[in-house]
Amino acid sequence: MNNKGEAPEPKDKFPVPPTPKERVSGPLPDPQKIAENIALGAFEVLSGYRSVQQLQRWLEPQLYVELAQRAGVRSRVKAKKSLPARVINSITCEPAEGVCEASVVVWNIDRPRGCAVRLAEHRGRWRAQALDVI
């Protein structure tokens, strides 16, 4: 018993850990703009205008490795250089909470090309889980 007449707490009792926050910093940004930027960045990496390291924050680790390998093969083949890519059109949908799928059309080299991006919430921001450059 302690000084107040209460029974002491058992010593083997562990404190309850705090629950993680659902969102780190409020609402997520617009997924359409993020998907456009990731697709544009991927085309710029493949064209030789951008370093793949600049996209590392926005890609899952396996996507980063795949894009780096593909960019390395393209650099050895000496890809055709042109003006930087630009987004022509994009469409997004959210099949589940915290998930967004986008299709982006990018003008690259001398023709339009397509890109499919699947984004998922990761620590309060969007991060690409899948990326298909067509």
Side-chain angles (χ1 to χ4, degrees):
M1 298 192 86
N2 59 16
N3 295 344
K4 296 181 183 178
E6 299 171 357
E9 291 186 30
K11 295 193 184 225
D12 60 8
K13 184 177 178 182
F14 294 105
V16 177
T19 58
K21 296 179 184 178
E22 286 196 22
R23 294 269 163 87
V24 175
S25 62
L28 290 168
D30 181 23
Q32 185 168 6
K33 195 66 178 165
I34 302 294
E36 289 176 359
N37 288 337
I38 289 172
L40 191 60
F43 280 109
E44 289 176 352
V45 165
L46 295 174
S47 297
Y49 280 102
R50 180 186 296 257
S51 168
V52 71
Q53 294 170 342
Q54 294 177 0
L55 295 178
Q56 185 174 13
R57 177 178 184 217
W58 303 103
L59 302 175
E60 290 287 332
Q62 79 276 5
L63 284 181
Y64 174 78
V65 170
E66 290 171 10
L67 187 61
Q69 289 173 345
R70 190 169 171 186
V73 169
R74 289 283 288 221
S75 68
R76 288 192 292 271
V77 175
K78 297 190 179 188
K80 180 180 176 183
K81 298 278 183 173
S82 71
L83 296 173
R86 68 179 193 272
V87 174
I88 296 173
N89 194 9
S90 65
I91 298 172
T92 60
C93 70
E94 295 189 30
E97 187 176 339
V99 176
C100 177
E101 294 178 349
S103 63
V104 182
V105 179
V106 175
W107 186 266
N108 189 35
I109 300 185
D110 56 358
R111 63 190 174 113
R113 297 186 67 189
C115 184
V117 183
R118 181 179 175 93
L119 303 172
E121 180 184 357
H122 178 74
R123 296 183 180 175
R125 62 185 173 90
W126 292 110
R127 193 170 185 185
Q129 284 186 330
L131 177 69
D132 289 325
V133 177
I134 303 167

